[in-house]
Amino acid sequence: MSRVHVRFGSGAEIGNSHHGFRFPPDPNYIGVDFGLQPREPGAGYDGQELSDGRFPEFTIPQLVADIMPHHFITHSHLDHTGALPLLYKMYRARHGAEPNFTLYMSEIALETTERLLWEPTIRMADQDERPRPFDYGDIAGVRSRVRVVRSGEVLDFEHFRAVAFDAGHVPGALYWIFIPKNGADPVFTSGDISFRDLGIVKPAAPIPDHFGRFSVAVMEATYLGKVIPDRKAEMARLRTHAREVLARRGTLVVPVFSIGSRGLEVGADFEKHNIGPVYYDGMLKDAIRLYKDLGVAPAGFSEKNFVRGKSHMEELIRRHEPKVVIAAGGMLPEGSRAWLYAADAIGRYEDGVAIVGFQGPGTPGECLVKSADRGMVQFGSRRIRRGCTVEQFQLSAHADGSEIEALLARLDPDTVVFNHGESANIDAYIAKNSVKFPWKMIRASLNEEVIL
Ligand SMILES: [Zn+2]
């Protein structure tokens, strides 16, 4: 008899994460995450797509996703939780009844997802005069299905137990372990995981000793086979760069994602080393306020350098005094605050843009990183000749190649399924290492079922 089934509602790519596990004789899958891949601006949703359970952003195992009784959520990033209100909406459209599934997530993940992801998704659709993908009622509905969990708390179900532990990465992130009651070894799913001390976010908790070996590990592969340099050295390099820009009386723009602690970490580090003034702008301000409410931000963090609004932003750009601006818009999407500051900075020789996070293919951030000094940059809808410096710093909040291998050595699984990475990189890694490790390695692919 098979004892563990794994099925993927997305491929190995970064975006719209979703997979399911089934532990026979349980007939039901349980779900992990339900993310969203941002759609082309201007594209809408129609009712038929919803009732068919079809969304161009992602494909899900359609037969199982909306009847999964339990959903286990790792963390609050768009590609992991962005589509949860759609799950609620889809269930109602298809069944004409209130959903009876339950979502398990940390309190921090719930609060940050609702306020920094789901609500702004509606506001942005309104702003762009696009149809809303879901409504405030769907947010309230999905929220009503949430059962908040704490790290280390064991949840008991008929066919399995589930327990989550801190995964580092962003505030409130968890990795999940499922213990099937059919005799199979435990199952691990990493979500996004980091083993480094990020200051505000601590490293992932070690796998407790009482778990022996694992049957399956679903492992994020963002930096599979790659090296992330030492974080302290990268922060020091970033400080040196900031001092250089300020010395030439320029502005240093640091784009960050609002969810996560990168903006706070960089800002607090600069202030500690008297680098500044440091301004904060965009949804990052909401994030910092929320993190203060939730006890995540450093006590006494001051809001005095929050940019107050659009006219304050315009005044800061016009005055052009030496400063650091940390602004929301991690990959510099057009129209974000980070994009607006950077669009002004790109043409100026004294300014700089410091890239501190992952840049997705085709984003304005990636175009900027790939541009040549004094070359033309296609920056969203604008074409600008680059005068400013563009430097990248590796402050990544993911496990790198050796950290992934150390984790797998501890889990000692029969099978590893890599997801959340670049397909070509995962394939090359598997081809190179297939005889090196005792575990079987697979790349996740859409709707493929792995059976043990
Ligand atoms: Zn993430």
Side-chain angles (χ1 to χ4, degrees):
M1 186 188 83
S2 63
R3 295 194 292 192
V4 179
H5 293 225
V6 193
R7 195 165 155 188
F8 286 83
S10 58
E13 77 277 10
I14 296 176
N16 54 48
S17 283
H18 177 59
H19 58 279
F21 295 107
R22 186 165 82 79
F23 311 117
D26 190 345
N28 293 313
Y29 270 85
I30 56 171
V32 178
D33 289 344
F34 208 69
L36 192 72
Q37 181 84 301
R39 211 174 177 180
E40 287 296 301
Y45 296 76
D46 66 45
Q48 193 57 42
E49 280 175 356
L50 287 174
S51 54
D52 291 348
R54 257 207 327 263
F55 308 104
E57 300 83 350
F58 56 12
T59 315
I60 47 177
Q62 290 178 21
L63 294 174
V64 292
D66 67 336
I67 54 166
M68 287 175 175
H70 305 290
H71 293 267
F72 300 88
I73 307 304
T74 62
H75 68 286
S76 48
H77 275 149
L78 180 74
D79 53 329
H80 295 261
T81 49
L84 284 167
L86 282 175
L87 185 67
Y88 177 87
K89 181 172 177 169
M90 180 173 77
Y91 188 101
R92 289 185 25 125
R94 294 176 86 184
H95 301 275
E98 272 301 291
N100 54 7
F101 54 69
T102 307
L103 311 173
Y104 304 87
M105 62 203 294
S106 71
E107 186 190 7
I108 292 172
L110 173 62
E111 297 302 333
T112 48
T113 306
E114 179 169 341
R115 280 171 56 183
L116 304 176
L117 209 62
W118 296 337
E119 291 177 1
T121 300
I122 296 179
R123 285 202 301 271
M124 275 169 345
D126 289 357
Q127 234 168 49
D128 304 345
E129 298 178 347
R130 277 182 287 121
R132 294 174 171 181
F134 46 79
D135 233 307
Y136 291 106
D138 300 312
I139 294 177
V142 82
R143 193 186 165 100
S144 73
R145 305 308 311 166
V146 171
R147 151 87 154 80
V148 165
V149 296
R150 291 184 309 279
S151 175
E153 183 183 353
V154 179
L155 306 169
D156 193 38
F157 302 93
E158 188 185 350
H159 293 282
F160 66 97
R161 287 196 300 277
V163 58
F165 296 99
D166 291 330
H169 186 58
V170 295
L174 299 171
Y175 64 78
W176 284 94
I177 292 172
F178 303 104
I179 307 108
K181 292 185 179 175
N182 61 14
D185 286 331
V187 166
F188 173 86
T189 192
S190 66
D192 291 354
I193 195 165
S194 163
F195 295 96
R196 299 185 188 204
D197 190 338
L198 310 178
I200 288 154
V201 180
K202 297 300 162 201
I207 309 287
D209 288 339
H210 64 265
F211 292 106
R213 58 186 309 256
F214 282 66
S215 57
V216 176
V218 175
M219 186 71 224
E220 69 130 318
T222 322
Y223 288 91
L224 182 68
K226 296 177 182 171
V227 179
I228 300 177
D230 177 68
R231 194 180 170 86
K232 280 203 180 82
E234 284 296 277
M235 279 302 289
R237 204 163 67 79
L238 176 56
R239 285 196 296 272
T240 302
H241 181 62
R243 287 192 180 106
E244 283 165 8
V245 172
L246 293 171
R248 59 180 191 244
R249 302 199 56 76
T251 295
L252 181 68
V253 181
V254 186
V256 295
F257 294 104
S258 3
I259 294 178
S261 54
R262 191 88 33 97
L264 266 174
E265 282 156 19
V266 171
D269 184 83
F270 279 9
E271 286 184 30
K272 195 172 109 194
H273 290 88
N274 294 316
I275 295 169
V278 178
Y279 292 94
Y280 301 85
D281 204 355
M283 219 165 56
L284 176 65
K285 295 182 295 181
D286 302 328
I288 293 175
R289 287 193 188 109
L290 182 54
Y291 284 141
K292 278 173 78 173
D293 287 351
L294 294 166
V296 174
F301 186 89
S302 162
E303 294 188 14
K304 70 179 187 319
N305 281 353
F306 279 13
V307 178
R308 291 182 301 276
K310 196 156 167 263
S311 59
H312 189 193
M313 174 189 79
E314 286 162 356
E315 184 195 322
L316 283 174
I317 290 176
R318 203 172 43 242
R319 276 213 314 256
H320 228 270
E321 288 161 353
K323 63 185 169 303
V324 174
V325 180
I326 304 176
M331 301 186 198
L332 294 148
E334 180 153 11
S336 67
R337 285 298 161 104
W339 186 87
L340 290 166
Y341 285 104
D344 179 69
I346 289 172
R348 295 177 186 269
Y349 296 93
E350 66 273 34
D351 287 358
V353 179
I355 301 288
V356 296
F358 176 78
Q359 302 301 309
T363 56
E366 196 209 37
C367 295
L368 186 57
V369 165
K370 286 188 167 170
S371 69
D373 195 18
R374 310 294 183 261
M376 296 303 289
V377 185
Q378 189 65 48
F379 198 56
S381 59
R382 288 175 60 178
R383 241 176 112 68
I384 309 168
R385 182 174 302 281
R386 193 183 116 190
C388 78
T389 51
V390 178
E391 293 280 336
Q392 272 191 291
F393 301 88
Q394 274 289 5
L395 301 177
S396 174
H398 291 269
D400 77 355
S402 61
E403 290 163 335
I404 290 172
E405 287 175 6
L407 173 60
L408 291 176
R410 161 61 189 92
L411 297 170
D412 192 18
D414 290 316
T415 302
V416 181
V417 192
F418 292 113
N419 68 347
H420 201 281
E422 292 165 40
S423 293
N425 183 50
I426 295 172
D427 289 345
Y429 177 88
I430 292 175
K432 197 173 138 198
N433 294 288
S434 60
V435 291
K436 186 174 166 189
F437 301 112
W439 43 82
K440 186 180 172 196
M441 295 186 280
I442 301 173
R443 167 166 62 82
S445 58
L446 177 65
N447 271 327
E448 187 179 290
E449 192 166 40
V450 179
I451 300 172
L452 275 92

